[in-house]
Amino acid sequence: MIDPDGPTPVYVQIAHAIAERIARGDLAPNRPIPSETQIQQEYGVARATARHAVAELRKRGLVYTVPQRGTYVSETRKR
Amino acid sequence: MIDPDGPTPVYVQIAHAIAERIARGDLAPNRPIPSETQIQQEYGVARATARHAVAELRKRGLVYTVPQRGTYVSETRKR
DNA sequence: GTGTATTTGTTCGTATGTATC
DNA sequence: CGATACATACGAACAAATACA
């Protein structure tokens, strides 16, 4: 699923994969996404890379992080 | 005893030191090895490093951990 | 029965060093 | 040089189960 040798950075690929799980409803609002450790194991990357991926999702507003608790899927914007 | 600036990672050095104590019989089968907190203090390292060292010993099959209990020296393999 | 201390489990935050492209 | 990525290490906080007085 992740291509370490591709042109797209691994952390972007992982962020994209998680974003899809959110879009699909696999990961619901206010529910935790995989922890950094789980991402490390699931994708076989270093923690720094896992963190980078999460930071990417946070930057896009898809998730929010609670220190020492975890990272959760943002609530769908009211409309 | 532990060299933080050496080429060998601190957690490996600590794992090695404890492995020697086991090999020497200083730590007997089914007896607890030092807790993570004790390892922290004895070697002056962070808990994450102490845990890493214990994980290393577990990986080698030298010890087994009982959640909320402690980590114990594995029984000598029957032969 | 009740509280306290101990121990491992788990999480995110941060920094440093190395290597590669 | 900067971005990416890995490994190591320290810090801080809280949870949960166990052990014991």
Side-chain angles (χ1 to χ4, degrees), chain A residues 27-39:
Chain A
L27 295 172
N30 295 314
R31 293 293 301 168
I33 67 170
S35 69
E36 294 175 357
T37 302
Q38 290 177 322
I39 293 175

Side-chain angles (χ1 to χ4, degrees), chain A:
Chain A
M1 203 214 302
I2 264 57
D3 178 16
D5 303 313
T8 308
V10 176
Y11 79 90
V12 173
Q13 292 182 52
I14 293 175
H16 192 268
I18 296 176
E20 290 230 326
R21 288 168 67 177
I22 293 174
R24 223 186 344 257
D26 183 15
L27 295 172
N30 295 314
R31 293 293 301 168
I33 67 170
S35 69
E36 294 175 357
T37 302
Q38 290 177 322
I39 293 175
Q40 271 188 76
Q41 300 170 337
E42 288 175 27
Y43 297 98
V45 297
R47 194 184 154 204
T49 303
R51 274 183 70 71
H52 203 161
V54 174
E56 191 68 14
L57 293 170
R58 201 160 37 223
K59 203 177 67 178
R60 296 187 203 165
L62 291 178
V63 304
Y64 60 93
T65 298
V66 181
Q68 272 68 59
R69 295 298 293 172
T71 296
Y72 307 81
V73 178
S74 300
E75 296 185 51
T76 303
R77 248 185 313 300
K78 317 291 187 304
R79 57 191 154 93

